[in-house]
Amino acid sequence: MCNLYSNTTTQEAMRRMFDGLADRAGNLKPGRVYPDQMGAIVRHGDGALELVQSRWGLPSPKFALKTERDPGVTNVRNLGSAHWRRWLGRDHRCLVPVTAFAEPAGKGRATSGLPWRMKDRCSSPESRSGTGPRFAR
């Protein structure tokens, strides 16, 4: 998806997005979330949807590691790679509530700020799909 996103939506607004959503996120801080930081997600839990905090990004392929510390990867481009296959199933899908997100300005360059924002800053977190808000089942 992106290398930086922001979520300034209240936790209560996130809870209202889905009937029966279990809030297991603790106290969520609004603001920017960078790779390898904790952020809110909505996922399938034990029989219901749940709001939790999760680390932003996926484990990097071994060939991409330059040190022992793994900062994670936020853009998966080769879905045919054996490295990514284990995270492509339903058990690893989630929604990331965002109010804005940014992409790098180019190879080796910083992100371009947060250029993609919601039109109405008071509305619910954004959900992008072909036919409106959906959650993969």
Side-chain angles (χ1 to χ4, degrees), residues 61-128:
K62 293 213 185 297
F63 72 83
L65 294 175
K66 295 179 174 68
T67 66
E68 286 187 31
R69 182 184 167 279
D70 181 4
V73 173
T74 58
N75 286 305
V76 177
R77 292 187 174 91
N78 181 4
L79 298 179
S81 167
H83 178 76
W84 302 120
R85 253 183 243 129
R86 66 187 118 170
W87 291 291
L88 296 178
R90 179 185 181 270
D91 291 342
H92 298 285
R93 293 180 186 170
C94 68
L95 292 177
V96 180
V98 303
T99 50
F101 65 94
E103 291 289 344
K107 186 172 179 148
R109 295 172 60 197
T111 58
S112 54
L114 294 168
W116 292 284
R117 299 181 187 278
M118 294 186 60
K119 291 180 183 175
D120 179 2
R121 301 206 93 188
C122 297
S123 62
S124 296
E126 185 167 348
S127 174
R128 291 179 179 247

Short mmCIF file of all heavy atoms in Angstrom, two decimals, residues 61-128:
data_model
loop_
_atom_site.label_atom_id
_atom_site.label_comp_id
_atom_site.label_asym_id
_atom_site.label_seq_id
_atom_site.Cartn_x
_atom_site.Cartn_y
_atom_site.Cartn_z
N PRO A 61 12.02 -10.19 2.75
CA PRO A 61 12.71 -11.38 2.27
C PRO A 61 14.18 -11.30 2.71
O PRO A 61 14.74 -10.21 2.82
CB PRO A 61 12.60 -11.29 0.75
CG PRO A 61 11.61 -10.23 0.46
CD PRO A 61 11.51 -9.36 1.66
N LYS A 62 14.78 -12.43 2.96
CA LYS A 62 16.17 -12.46 3.44
C LYS A 62 17.12 -11.70 2.51
O LYS A 62 18.02 -11.02 2.97
CB LYS A 62 16.62 -13.90 3.62
CG LYS A 62 15.88 -14.59 4.75
CD LYS A 62 16.77 -15.59 5.44
CE LYS A 62 16.02 -16.37 6.48
NZ LYS A 62 15.51 -15.63 7.58
N PHE A 63 16.91 -11.79 1.19
CA PHE A 63 17.82 -11.12 0.26
C PHE A 63 17.77 -9.60 0.40
O PHE A 63 18.70 -8.91 0.03
CB PHE A 63 17.56 -11.53 -1.19
CG PHE A 63 16.28 -10.96 -1.77
CD1 PHE A 63 16.25 -9.68 -2.31
CD2 PHE A 63 15.12 -11.72 -1.79
CE1 PHE A 63 15.08 -9.15 -2.84
CE2 PHE A 63 13.94 -11.20 -2.31
CZ PHE A 63 13.93 -9.92 -2.85
N ALA A 64 16.68 -9.07 0.95
CA ALA A 64 16.53 -7.62 1.06
C ALA A 64 17.13 -7.06 2.35
O ALA A 64 17.29 -5.85 2.48
CB ALA A 64 15.05 -7.25 1.00
N LEU A 65 17.47 -7.93 3.30
CA LEU A 65 18.00 -7.46 4.58
C LEU A 65 19.45 -7.02 4.44
O LEU A 65 20.29 -7.75 3.93
CB LEU A 65 17.89 -8.56 5.63
CG LEU A 65 16.47 -8.95 6.03
CD1 LEU A 65 16.51 -10.14 6.98
CD2 LEU A 65 15.75 -7.78 6.66
N LYS A 66 19.72 -5.82 4.91
CA LYS A 66 21.09 -5.29 4.88
C LYS A 66 21.74 -5.38 6.25
O LYS A 66 22.95 -5.29 6.38
CB LYS A 66 21.07 -3.86 4.38
CG LYS A 66 20.61 -3.76 2.92
CD LYS A 66 20.58 -2.31 2.46
CE LYS A 66 20.28 -2.18 1.01
NZ LYS A 66 18.99 -2.53 0.55
N THR A 67 20.93 -5.53 7.31
CA THR A 67 21.41 -5.69 8.68
C THR A 67 20.55 -6.76 9.35
O THR A 67 19.62 -7.30 8.72
CB THR A 67 21.29 -4.38 9.49
OG1 THR A 67 19.90 -4.08 9.65
CG2 THR A 67 22.00 -3.23 8.80
N GLU A 68 20.82 -7.06 10.61
CA GLU A 68 20.00 -8.04 11.33
C GLU A 68 18.61 -7.50 11.64
O GLU A 68 17.66 -8.26 11.77
CB GLU A 68 20.70 -8.46 12.62
CG GLU A 68 21.88 -9.37 12.37
CD GLU A 68 22.44 -9.91 13.67
OE1 GLU A 68 21.68 -10.09 14.63
OE2 GLU A 68 23.65 -10.14 13.71
N ARG A 69 18.48 -6.19 11.78
CA ARG A 69 17.18 -5.58 12.07
C ARG A 69 16.34 -5.57 10.80
O ARG A 69 16.79 -5.14 9.75
CB ARG A 69 17.38 -4.14 12.56
CG ARG A 69 16.07 -3.49 12.91
CD ARG A 69 16.28 -2.03 13.31
NE ARG A 69 15.03 -1.34 13.36
CZ ARG A 69 14.38 -0.85 12.30
NH1 ARG A 69 14.89 -0.97 11.10
NH2 ARG A 69 13.22 -0.23 12.43
N ASP A 70 15.11 -6.05 10.93
CA ASP A 70 14.20 -6.09 9.79
C ASP A 70 13.18 -4.97 9.93
O ASP A 70 12.27 -5.06 10.75
CB ASP A 70 13.49 -7.44 9.72
CG ASP A 70 12.55 -7.55 8.55
OD1 ASP A 70 12.48 -6.62 7.72
OD2 ASP A 70 11.87 -8.59 8.44
N PRO A 71 13.27 -3.90 9.13
CA PRO A 71 12.30 -2.81 9.21
C PRO A 71 10.96 -3.16 8.55
O PRO A 71 10.00 -2.43 8.68
CB PRO A 71 12.98 -1.67 8.47
CG PRO A 71 13.85 -2.36 7.48
CD PRO A 71 14.31 -3.63 8.15
N GLY A 72 10.91 -4.27 7.84
CA GLY A 72 9.68 -4.67 7.18
C GLY A 72 9.52 -4.08 5.80
O GLY A 72 10.26 -3.20 5.38
N VAL A 73 8.54 -4.60 5.08
CA VAL A 73 8.23 -4.19 3.71
C VAL A 73 6.76 -3.78 3.68
O VAL A 73 5.92 -4.44 4.26
CB VAL A 73 8.48 -5.37 2.73
CG1 VAL A 73 8.01 -5.04 1.34
CG2 VAL A 73 9.92 -5.76 2.74
N THR A 74 6.44 -2.69 2.99
CA THR A 74 5.05 -2.26 2.89
C THR A 74 4.49 -2.39 1.49
O THR A 74 3.31 -2.20 1.29
CB THR A 74 4.90 -0.80 3.36
OG1 THR A 74 5.75 0.03 2.57
CG2 THR A 74 5.24 -0.66 4.83
N ASN A 75 5.31 -2.68 0.51
CA ASN A 75 4.84 -2.88 -0.86
C ASN A 75 5.24 -4.27 -1.34
O ASN A 75 6.42 -4.56 -1.49
CB ASN A 75 5.44 -1.82 -1.81
CG ASN A 75 4.81 -0.47 -1.61
OD1 ASN A 75 3.60 -0.34 -1.68
ND2 ASN A 75 5.61 0.53 -1.33
N VAL A 76 4.25 -5.10 -1.58
CA VAL A 76 4.48 -6.45 -2.09
C VAL A 76 4.09 -6.44 -3.56
O VAL A 76 2.93 -6.25 -3.89
CB VAL A 76 3.64 -7.49 -1.31
CG1 VAL A 76 3.83 -8.87 -1.89
CG2 VAL A 76 4.00 -7.45 0.16
N ARG A 77 5.07 -6.63 -4.43
CA ARG A 77 4.80 -6.52 -5.87
C ARG A 77 4.81 -7.87 -6.58
O ARG A 77 4.27 -7.99 -7.65
CB ARG A 77 5.83 -5.59 -6.49
CG ARG A 77 5.63 -4.16 -6.03
CD ARG A 77 6.54 -3.22 -6.78
NE ARG A 77 6.25 -1.85 -6.44
CZ ARG A 77 6.84 -1.18 -5.46
NH1 ARG A 77 7.75 -1.78 -4.73
NH2 ARG A 77 6.52 0.05 -5.21
N ASN A 78 5.45 -8.87 -6.02
CA ASN A 78 5.56 -10.16 -6.70
C ASN A 78 4.76 -11.21 -5.93
O ASN A 78 5.29 -11.91 -5.07
CB ASN A 78 7.03 -10.58 -6.80
CG ASN A 78 7.20 -11.90 -7.52
OD1 ASN A 78 6.24 -12.48 -8.02
ND2 ASN A 78 8.43 -12.38 -7.59
N LEU A 79 3.47 -11.31 -6.23
CA LEU A 79 2.60 -12.24 -5.51
C LEU A 79 2.94 -13.70 -5.80
O LEU A 79 2.50 -14.59 -5.09
CB LEU A 79 1.14 -11.97 -5.84
CG LEU A 79 0.62 -10.59 -5.45
CD1 LEU A 79 -0.84 -10.44 -5.84
CD2 LEU A 79 0.81 -10.34 -3.98
N GLY A 80 3.74 -13.96 -6.83
CA GLY A 80 4.15 -15.31 -7.15
C GLY A 80 5.33 -15.79 -6.33
O GLY A 80 5.67 -16.98 -6.34
N SER A 81 5.97 -14.89 -5.59
CA SER A 81 7.14 -15.25 -4.78
C SER A 81 6.75 -16.16 -3.62
O SER A 81 5.76 -15.91 -2.92
CB SER A 81 7.78 -13.98 -4.22
OG SER A 81 8.71 -14.30 -3.21
N ALA A 82 7.52 -17.21 -3.40
CA ALA A 82 7.26 -18.13 -2.28
C ALA A 82 7.31 -17.38 -0.95
O ALA A 82 6.62 -17.76 0.00
CB ALA A 82 8.27 -19.26 -2.31
N HIS A 83 8.11 -16.35 -0.86
CA HIS A 83 8.23 -15.60 0.39
C HIS A 83 6.89 -15.00 0.82
O HIS A 83 6.56 -14.97 2.00
CB HIS A 83 9.27 -14.49 0.27
CG HIS A 83 9.38 -13.65 1.51
ND1 HIS A 83 10.03 -14.09 2.63
CD2 HIS A 83 8.89 -12.42 1.81
CE1 HIS A 83 9.96 -13.16 3.58
NE2 HIS A 83 9.28 -12.14 3.09
N TRP A 84 6.09 -14.51 -0.12
CA TRP A 84 4.84 -13.82 0.22
C TRP A 84 3.65 -14.76 0.35
O TRP A 84 2.65 -14.41 0.96
CB TRP A 84 4.52 -12.75 -0.83
CG TRP A 84 5.59 -11.73 -0.96
CD1 TRP A 84 6.32 -11.44 -2.08
CD2 TRP A 84 6.10 -10.87 0.06
NE1 TRP A 84 7.23 -10.47 -1.82
CE2 TRP A 84 7.12 -10.09 -0.50
CE3 TRP A 84 5.80 -10.69 1.41
CZ2 TRP A 84 7.83 -9.15 0.22
CZ3 TRP A 84 6.52 -9.74 2.12
CH2 TRP A 84 7.50 -8.99 1.53
N ARG A 85 3.72 -15.95 -0.24
CA ARG A 85 2.56 -16.84 -0.29
C ARG A 85 1.92 -17.09 1.06
O ARG A 85 0.71 -17.16 1.18
CB ARG A 85 2.95 -18.18 -0.92
CG ARG A 85 2.39 -18.28 -2.31
CD ARG A 85 2.68 -19.60 -2.96
NE ARG A 85 3.51 -19.25 -4.12
CZ ARG A 85 4.64 -19.82 -4.40
NH1 ARG A 85 5.11 -20.80 -3.69
NH2 ARG A 85 5.33 -19.42 -5.44
N ARG A 86 2.72 -17.22 2.11
CA ARG A 86 2.16 -17.55 3.43
C ARG A 86 1.26 -16.45 3.98
O ARG A 86 0.47 -16.68 4.87
CB ARG A 86 3.27 -17.87 4.41
CG ARG A 86 4.17 -16.69 4.72
CD ARG A 86 5.35 -17.08 5.55
NE ARG A 86 6.54 -16.78 4.74
CZ ARG A 86 7.76 -16.82 5.19
NH1 ARG A 86 7.98 -17.17 6.42
NH2 ARG A 86 8.76 -16.52 4.42
N TRP A 87 1.39 -15.20 3.48
CA TRP A 87 0.57 -14.10 3.99
C TRP A 87 -0.56 -13.70 3.05
O TRP A 87 -1.24 -12.71 3.30
CB TRP A 87 1.45 -12.87 4.26
CG TRP A 87 2.37 -13.11 5.40
CD1 TRP A 87 2.03 -13.24 6.72
CD2 TRP A 87 3.78 -13.26 5.34
NE1 TRP A 87 3.15 -13.47 7.47
CE2 TRP A 87 4.24 -13.48 6.65
CE3 TRP A 87 4.70 -13.24 4.31
CZ2 TRP A 87 5.57 -13.67 6.95
CZ3 TRP A 87 6.03 -13.42 4.61
CH2 TRP A 87 6.45 -13.64 5.91
N LEU A 88 -0.80 -14.46 1.99
CA LEU A 88 -1.82 -14.08 1.02
C LEU A 88 -3.20 -14.64 1.35
O LEU A 88 -4.18 -14.24 0.73
CB LEU A 88 -1.41 -14.52 -0.38
CG LEU A 88 -0.15 -13.84 -0.93
CD1 LEU A 88 0.17 -14.39 -2.31
CD2 LEU A 88 -0.31 -12.34 -0.96
N GLY A 89 -3.32 -15.53 2.31
CA GLY A 89 -4.60 -16.15 2.63
C GLY A 89 -5.49 -15.26 3.49
O GLY A 89 -5.10 -14.21 3.99
N ARG A 90 -6.72 -15.70 3.67
CA ARG A 90 -7.75 -14.98 4.42
C ARG A 90 -7.31 -14.65 5.85
O ARG A 90 -7.62 -13.59 6.37
CB ARG A 90 -9.02 -15.81 4.45
CG ARG A 90 -10.14 -15.19 5.22
CD ARG A 90 -11.33 -16.15 5.29
NE ARG A 90 -12.43 -15.58 6.00
CZ ARG A 90 -12.60 -15.70 7.32
NH1 ARG A 90 -11.73 -16.34 8.05
NH2 ARG A 90 -13.64 -15.15 7.91
N ASP A 91 -6.58 -15.54 6.49
CA ASP A 91 -6.17 -15.32 7.88
C ASP A 91 -5.25 -14.12 8.06
O ASP A 91 -5.07 -13.64 9.17
CB ASP A 91 -5.48 -16.57 8.44
CG ASP A 91 -6.43 -17.73 8.61
OD1 ASP A 91 -7.66 -17.49 8.63
OD2 ASP A 91 -5.95 -18.86 8.72
N HIS A 92 -4.67 -13.62 6.99
CA HIS A 92 -3.74 -12.51 7.08
C HIS A 92 -4.25 -11.25 6.40
O HIS A 92 -3.50 -10.30 6.22
CB HIS A 92 -2.38 -12.91 6.49
CG HIS A 92 -1.75 -14.03 7.22
ND1 HIS A 92 -1.16 -13.88 8.45
CD2 HIS A 92 -1.67 -15.35 6.94
CE1 HIS A 92 -0.72 -15.05 8.88
NE2 HIS A 92 -1.03 -15.95 7.98
N ARG A 93 -5.53 -11.21 6.05
CA ARG A 93 -6.11 -10.02 5.42
C ARG A 93 -6.64 -9.09 6.50
O ARG A 93 -7.11 -9.52 7.55
CB ARG A 93 -7.25 -10.40 4.48
CG ARG A 93 -6.76 -11.18 3.29
CD ARG A 93 -7.90 -11.53 2.40
NE ARG A 93 -7.44 -12.40 1.34
CZ ARG A 93 -8.24 -13.03 0.51
NH1 ARG A 93 -9.54 -12.89 0.62
NH2 ARG A 93 -7.74 -13.80 -0.42
N CYS A 94 -6.60 -7.80 6.20
CA CYS A 94 -7.12 -6.82 7.15
C CYS A 94 -7.46 -5.53 6.41
O CYS A 94 -7.09 -5.35 5.26
CB CYS A 94 -6.12 -6.55 8.26
SG CYS A 94 -4.63 -5.69 7.71
N LEU A 95 -8.16 -4.66 7.10
CA LEU A 95 -8.40 -3.30 6.63
C LEU A 95 -7.57 -2.37 7.49
O LEU A 95 -7.46 -2.54 8.70
CB LEU A 95 -9.88 -2.92 6.79
CG LEU A 95 -10.87 -3.66 5.91
CD1 LEU A 95 -12.29 -3.23 6.24
CD2 LEU A 95 -10.58 -3.40 4.45
N VAL A 96 -6.97 -1.38 6.86
CA VAL A 96 -6.18 -0.39 7.57
C VAL A 96 -6.94 0.94 7.50
O VAL A 96 -7.06 1.52 6.42
CB VAL A 96 -4.77 -0.23 6.94
CG1 VAL A 96 -3.97 0.81 7.70
CG2 VAL A 96 -4.05 -1.58 6.91
N PRO A 97 -7.50 1.42 8.61
CA PRO A 97 -8.21 2.70 8.58
C PRO A 97 -7.23 3.86 8.38
O PRO A 97 -6.28 4.00 9.15
CB PRO A 97 -8.89 2.79 9.94
CG PRO A 97 -8.44 1.63 10.73
CD PRO A 97 -7.52 0.80 9.92
N VAL A 98 -7.43 4.64 7.34
CA VAL A 98 -6.54 5.76 7.05
C VAL A 98 -7.35 7.02 6.76
O VAL A 98 -8.48 6.94 6.28
CB VAL A 98 -5.59 5.48 5.86
CG1 VAL A 98 -4.77 4.24 6.09
CG2 VAL A 98 -6.33 5.39 4.55
N THR A 99 -6.77 8.16 7.03
CA THR A 99 -7.35 9.43 6.60
C THR A 99 -6.48 10.07 5.53
O THR A 99 -6.91 10.98 4.85
CB THR A 99 -7.54 10.41 7.77
OG1 THR A 99 -6.32 10.48 8.50
CG2 THR A 99 -8.66 9.93 8.69
N ALA A 100 -5.22 9.59 5.39
CA ALA A 100 -4.32 10.07 4.34
C ALA A 100 -3.18 9.08 4.20
O ALA A 100 -2.87 8.35 5.14
CB ALA A 100 -3.77 11.45 4.69
N PHE A 101 -2.57 9.02 3.01
CA PHE A 101 -1.40 8.16 2.83
C PHE A 101 -0.48 8.76 1.79
O PHE A 101 -0.86 9.63 1.02
CB PHE A 101 -1.79 6.73 2.48
CG PHE A 101 -2.47 6.55 1.16
CD1 PHE A 101 -1.73 6.22 0.03
CD2 PHE A 101 -3.84 6.70 1.04
CE1 PHE A 101 -2.36 6.04 -1.20
CE2 PHE A 101 -4.47 6.51 -0.18
CZ PHE A 101 -3.73 6.19 -1.30
N ALA A 102 0.77 8.29 1.80
CA ALA A 102 1.78 8.84 0.89
C ALA A 102 2.62 7.71 0.32
O ALA A 102 2.77 6.66 0.94
CB ALA A 102 2.67 9.82 1.64
N GLU A 103 3.19 7.97 -0.83
CA GLU A 103 4.11 7.05 -1.49
C GLU A 103 5.47 7.75 -1.62
O GLU A 103 5.54 8.97 -1.60
CB GLU A 103 3.59 6.68 -2.88
CG GLU A 103 2.36 5.81 -2.86
CD GLU A 103 2.62 4.40 -2.38
OE1 GLU A 103 3.79 3.97 -2.35
OE2 GLU A 103 1.65 3.72 -2.03
N PRO A 104 6.54 6.99 -1.79
CA PRO A 104 7.84 7.63 -2.00
C PRO A 104 7.82 8.51 -3.25
O PRO A 104 7.12 8.21 -4.21
CB PRO A 104 8.81 6.46 -2.19
CG PRO A 104 8.11 5.28 -1.64
CD PRO A 104 6.64 5.54 -1.79
N ALA A 105 8.60 9.58 -3.23
CA ALA A 105 8.68 10.48 -4.37
C ALA A 105 9.50 9.88 -5.50
O ALA A 105 9.48 10.37 -6.61
CB ALA A 105 9.26 11.82 -3.94
N GLY A 106 10.23 8.82 -5.24
CA GLY A 106 11.06 8.14 -6.23
C GLY A 106 12.10 7.31 -5.53
O GLY A 106 12.28 7.41 -4.31
N LYS A 107 12.80 6.46 -6.26
CA LYS A 107 13.78 5.58 -5.64
C LYS A 107 14.82 6.38 -4.85
O LYS A 107 15.43 7.30 -5.38
CB LYS A 107 14.47 4.74 -6.71
CG LYS A 107 15.38 3.71 -6.11
CD LYS A 107 15.92 2.75 -7.15
CE LYS A 107 16.84 1.78 -6.44
NZ LYS A 107 16.87 0.50 -7.00
N GLY A 108 14.98 6.00 -3.59
CA GLY A 108 15.96 6.67 -2.74
C GLY A 108 15.54 8.05 -2.26
O GLY A 108 16.32 8.74 -1.63
N ARG A 109 14.30 8.45 -2.54
CA ARG A 109 13.83 9.77 -2.11
C ARG A 109 12.78 9.62 -1.02
O ARG A 109 12.14 8.59 -0.90
CB ARG A 109 13.24 10.52 -3.31
CG ARG A 109 14.32 10.81 -4.37
CD ARG A 109 13.75 11.37 -5.64
NE ARG A 109 13.04 12.63 -5.40
CZ ARG A 109 12.19 13.13 -6.27
NH1 ARG A 109 11.94 12.52 -7.39
NH2 ARG A 109 11.59 14.27 -6.01
N ALA A 110 12.61 10.62 -0.24
CA ALA A 110 11.65 10.60 0.86
C ALA A 110 10.22 10.58 0.33
O ALA A 110 9.98 10.83 -0.85
CB ALA A 110 11.84 11.83 1.74
N THR A 111 9.27 10.29 1.22
CA THR A 111 7.87 10.34 0.82
C THR A 111 7.50 11.76 0.48
O THR A 111 8.12 12.72 0.93
CB THR A 111 6.95 9.83 1.95
OG1 THR A 111 7.16 10.62 3.10
CG2 THR A 111 7.15 8.37 2.23
N SER A 112 6.48 11.88 -0.32
CA SER A 112 6.06 13.19 -0.82
C SER A 112 5.05 13.86 0.09
O SER A 112 4.23 14.63 -0.36
CB SER A 112 5.48 13.01 -2.22
OG SER A 112 4.47 12.03 -2.19
N GLY A 113 5.09 13.57 1.37
CA GLY A 113 4.10 14.12 2.29
C GLY A 113 2.88 13.23 2.32
O GLY A 113 2.98 12.03 2.10
N LEU A 114 1.74 13.77 2.58
CA LEU A 114 0.50 12.99 2.59
C LEU A 114 -0.45 13.55 1.54
O LEU A 114 -1.41 14.23 1.86
CB LEU A 114 -0.14 13.02 3.99
CG LEU A 114 0.68 12.32 5.07
CD1 LEU A 114 0.12 12.64 6.45
CD2 LEU A 114 0.71 10.83 4.85
N PRO A 115 -0.19 13.28 0.25
CA PRO A 115 -0.97 13.91 -0.80
C PRO A 115 -2.37 13.36 -0.99
O PRO A 115 -3.23 14.04 -1.52
CB PRO A 115 -0.13 13.67 -2.05
CG PRO A 115 0.61 12.42 -1.76
CD PRO A 115 0.87 12.45 -0.27
N TRP A 116 -2.64 12.13 -0.61
CA TRP A 116 -3.97 11.56 -0.81
C TRP A 116 -4.71 11.62 0.50
O TRP A 116 -4.43 10.91 1.44
CB TRP A 116 -3.87 10.12 -1.31
CG TRP A 116 -3.33 10.08 -2.68
CD1 TRP A 116 -3.98 10.40 -3.84
CD2 TRP A 116 -2.00 9.73 -3.07
NE1 TRP A 116 -3.14 10.27 -4.91
CE2 TRP A 116 -1.92 9.86 -4.46
CE3 TRP A 116 -0.87 9.33 -2.37
CZ2 TRP A 116 -0.76 9.59 -5.17
CZ3 TRP A 116 0.28 9.06 -3.07
CH2 TRP A 116 0.33 9.19 -4.45
N ARG A 117 -5.70 12.51 0.56
CA ARG A 117 -6.46 12.71 1.78
C ARG A 117 -7.94 12.52 1.50
O ARG A 117 -8.39 12.63 0.38
CB ARG A 117 -6.27 14.13 2.31
CG ARG A 117 -4.85 14.46 2.68
CD ARG A 117 -4.78 15.88 3.23
NE ARG A 117 -3.42 16.29 3.43
CZ ARG A 117 -2.69 15.99 4.50
NH1 ARG A 117 -3.21 15.27 5.45
NH2 ARG A 117 -1.45 16.40 4.60
N MET A 118 -8.69 12.28 2.58
CA MET A 118 -10.13 12.21 2.44
C MET A 118 -10.67 13.60 2.15
O MET A 118 -10.11 14.60 2.59
CB MET A 118 -10.74 11.67 3.73
CG MET A 118 -10.34 10.23 3.99
SD MET A 118 -11.18 9.57 5.40
CE MET A 118 -12.87 9.73 4.89
N LYS A 119 -11.77 13.67 1.42
CA LYS A 119 -12.38 14.96 1.10
C LYS A 119 -12.97 15.62 2.35
O LYS A 119 -12.85 16.80 2.56
CB LYS A 119 -13.46 14.78 0.05
CG LYS A 119 -12.91 14.42 -1.31
CD LYS A 119 -14.02 14.25 -2.30
CE LYS A 119 -13.45 13.81 -3.64
NZ LYS A 119 -14.49 13.52 -4.60
N ASP A 120 -13.65 14.81 3.17
CA ASP A 120 -14.29 15.32 4.37
C ASP A 120 -13.51 14.82 5.57
O ASP A 120 -13.58 13.66 5.92
CB ASP A 120 -15.74 14.84 4.42
CG ASP A 120 -16.46 15.31 5.67
OD1 ASP A 120 -15.86 16.03 6.49
OD2 ASP A 120 -17.64 14.95 5.82
N ARG A 121 -12.76 15.67 6.22
CA ARG A 121 -11.88 15.26 7.32
C ARG A 121 -12.69 14.78 8.52
O ARG A 121 -12.14 14.18 9.42
CB ARG A 121 -10.98 16.40 7.71
CG ARG A 121 -10.14 16.83 6.52
CD ARG A 121 -8.92 17.44 6.95
NE ARG A 121 -7.93 16.36 6.98
CZ ARG A 121 -6.74 16.47 7.46
NH1 ARG A 121 -6.36 17.58 8.00
NH2 ARG A 121 -5.89 15.49 7.45
N CYS A 122 -13.99 15.04 8.58
CA CYS A 122 -14.79 14.61 9.72
C CYS A 122 -15.45 13.26 9.47
O CYS A 122 -16.13 12.73 10.33
CB CYS A 122 -15.88 15.64 10.02
SG CYS A 122 -15.21 17.24 10.49
N SER A 123 -15.29 12.70 8.30
CA SER A 123 -15.97 11.45 7.98
C SER A 123 -15.19 10.24 8.49
O SER A 123 -14.12 10.36 9.06
CB SER A 123 -16.19 11.34 6.48
OG SER A 123 -14.95 11.33 5.82
N SER A 124 -15.72 9.08 8.26
CA SER A 124 -15.11 7.84 8.70
C SER A 124 -13.83 7.55 7.94
O SER A 124 -13.58 8.13 6.89
CB SER A 124 -16.10 6.69 8.48
OG SER A 124 -17.24 6.89 9.28
N PRO A 125 -13.03 6.59 8.43
CA PRO A 125 -11.81 6.22 7.69
C PRO A 125 -12.13 5.78 6.28
O PRO A 125 -13.21 5.26 6.01
CB PRO A 125 -11.24 5.06 8.50
CG PRO A 125 -11.85 5.18 9.84
CD PRO A 125 -13.19 5.83 9.64
N GLU A 126 -11.21 5.99 5.40
CA GLU A 126 -11.41 5.68 3.99
C GLU A 126 -11.30 4.18 3.71
O GLU A 126 -10.49 3.49 4.31
CB GLU A 126 -10.37 6.42 3.16
CG GLU A 126 -10.57 6.26 1.69
CD GLU A 126 -9.74 7.24 0.92
OE1 GLU A 126 -9.18 8.17 1.49
OE2 GLU A 126 -9.66 7.05 -0.30
N SER A 127 -12.12 3.71 2.79
CA SER A 127 -12.04 2.33 2.32
C SER A 127 -12.09 2.39 0.81
O SER A 127 -12.97 3.00 0.23
CB SER A 127 -13.23 1.52 2.85
OG SER A 127 -13.23 0.24 2.28
N ARG A 128 -11.09 1.79 0.15
CA ARG A 128 -11.05 1.83 -1.32
C ARG A 128 -11.28 0.44 -1.87
O ARG A 128 -10.58 -0.50 -1.53
CB ARG A 128 -9.71 2.34 -1.79
CG ARG A 128 -9.50 3.78 -1.48
CD ARG A 128 -8.15 4.22 -1.96
NE ARG A 128 -7.99 5.61 -1.66
CZ ARG A 128 -7.92 6.56 -2.56
NH1 ARG A 128 -7.93 6.25 -3.82
NH2 ARG A 128 -7.79 7.81 -2.21
#
